């Protein structure tokens, strides 16, 4: 079943399914491969090393805290060991293998359902800066292009998107991602309690959502709101 159909059926989504969903609305995500059950590794990956290996399951939202992430895997031997150990630690769970993106300026983009305002989109500086500075801004969706650029400009870290100290981060790529998330929220927001894309890594000419989590609203509340 496709990720969107799972969401419409109020079924929880694993990380790889959330990425399938957001990608269908235009959010860039890393190239990836999912191994279900005892599925074998292909002879060659369809993308280059280094890669990250993660457990991907709707019930495991904080993968790093339970040892569900392996980073910096540079060759086939390391990959086989990582997949094997992941299966020993999380038997029966899907394993997500994806391109490990290089460092860049980190942002967080999210959707929340507010009882007073409805579905809203959030933008903030990502990574450790999220908790340190609480540098975030919100808008009720839908937003347009001018809203997206205004949200970026309101961040205290907005100078990072203006070439501050040779940081090269594309404001237009981040604005496009915000508009994609707004489109998703406009169509499916009534089903979503919270969605986090964190970090979204922003480069000179693109951005990519490296991690993705989604929490469903209660089925009764979602169906009531959507009529």
């Amino acid at each position: 079943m496709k990720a969107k159909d799972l969401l419409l059926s109020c079924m929880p989504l694993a990380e790889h399914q959330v990425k399938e969903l957001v990608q269908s609305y235009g959010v860039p995500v890393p190239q990836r491969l999912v191994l279900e059950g005892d599925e074998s590794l292909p002879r060659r990956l369809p993308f280059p090393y280094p890669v990250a290996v993660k457990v991907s399951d709707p019930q495991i939202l904080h993968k790093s805290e339970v040892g569900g992430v392996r980073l910096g895997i540079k060759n086939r031997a390391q990959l086989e060991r990582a997949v094997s150990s992941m299966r020993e630690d999380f038997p029966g769970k899907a394993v997500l293998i994806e391109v490990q993106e290089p460092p860049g300026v980190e942002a967080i983009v999210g959707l929340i359902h507010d009882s007073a305002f409805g579905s809203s989109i959030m933008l903030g500086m990502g990574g450790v800066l999220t908790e340190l500075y609480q540098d975030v801004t919100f808008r009720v969706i839908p937003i347009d292009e001018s809203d997206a650029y205004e949200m970026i400009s309101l961040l205290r870290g907005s100078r990072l998107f203006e070439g501050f100290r040779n940081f090269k981060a594309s404001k237009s790529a981040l604005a496009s991602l915000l508009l994609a998330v707004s489109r998703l929220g406009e169509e499916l927001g009534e089903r979503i309690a919270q969605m986090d894309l964190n970090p979204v890594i922003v480069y000179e000419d693109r951005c990519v959502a490296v991690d993705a989590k989604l929490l469903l609203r209660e089925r009764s509340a979602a169906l009531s709101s959507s009529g």
Side-chain angles (χ1 to χ4, degrees):
M1 185 182 290
K2 292 185 176 181
K4 184 176 179 179
D5 295 329
L6 289 172
L7 182 66
L8 291 173
S9 301
C10 295
M11 302 283 286
L13 274 63
E15 178 180 347
H16 67 278
Q17 294 162 332
V18 179
K19 285 179 172 172
E20 175 193 324
L21 177 70
V22 299
Q23 187 176 33
S24 71
Y25 283 84
V27 173
V29 298
Q31 295 180 76
R32 64 196 183 280
L33 173 70
V34 180
L35 301 179
E36 303 276 4
D38 295 327
E39 190 176 354
S40 300
L41 273 171
R43 294 183 64 182
R44 298 188 62 177
L45 292 180
F47 41 76
Y49 292 94
V51 299
V53 174
K54 307 176 182 178
V55 63
S56 187
D57 185 87
Q59 306 305 319
I60 306 176
L61 292 178
H62 303 288
K63 297 175 289 295
S64 297
E65 296 177 8
V66 296
V69 179
R70 311 281 194 274
L71 299 176
I73 296 167
K74 299 176 181 176
N75 55 51
R76 176 79 184 195
Q78 292 180 1
L79 177 60
E80 289 177 349
R81 287 196 295 272
V83 170
S84 178
S85 67
M86 195 68 74
R87 283 176 164 162
E88 289 179 5
D89 293 343
F90 302 96
K93 305 299 187 186
V95 176
L96 172 61
I97 304 167
E98 61 184 14
V99 169
Q100 184 169 325
E101 299 287 344
V105 173
E106 294 189 358
I108 176 174
V109 176
L111 282 175
I112 62 167
H113 187 85
D114 183 90
S115 58
F117 299 105
S119 295
S120 302
I121 187 170
M122 181 270 287
L123 170 67
M125 298 309 299
V128 296
L129 296 178
T130 303
E131 296 181 3
L132 182 62
Y133 295 117
Q134 295 292 305
D135 188 9
V136 295
T137 183
F138 295 84
R139 288 287 186 282
V140 175
I141 58 172
I143 62 169
D144 60 21
E145 187 174 27
S146 63
D147 295 322
Y149 278 98
E150 184 180 58
M151 290 179 73
I152 298 170
S153 70
L154 289 174
L155 296 176
R156 292 198 295 273
S158 63
R159 291 180 65 189
L160 293 173
F161 301 98
E162 305 285 355
F164 177 72
R165 294 193 175 182
N166 294 322
F167 281 98
K168 297 183 183 301
S170 172
K171 189 186 294 186
S172 63
L174 182 57
S176 294
L177 185 145
L178 287 169
L179 293 173
V181 172
S182 175
R183 289 193 296 271
L184 188 158
E186 191 175 9
E187 184 172 341
L188 301 173
E190 295 293 345
R191 308 281 177 153
I192 298 171
Q194 181 176 342
M195 184 181 79
D196 288 336
L197 306 178
N198 185 28
V200 171
I201 304 182
V202 189
Y203 303 104
E204 183 175 7
D205 58 351
R206 67 185 180 101
C207 63
V208 59
V210 171
D211 199 5
K213 301 181 181 68
L214 188 151
L215 296 175
L216 293 170
R217 293 184 69 198
E218 293 293 332
R219 183 182 179 88
S220 57
L223 294 177
S224 175
S225 297
S226 61

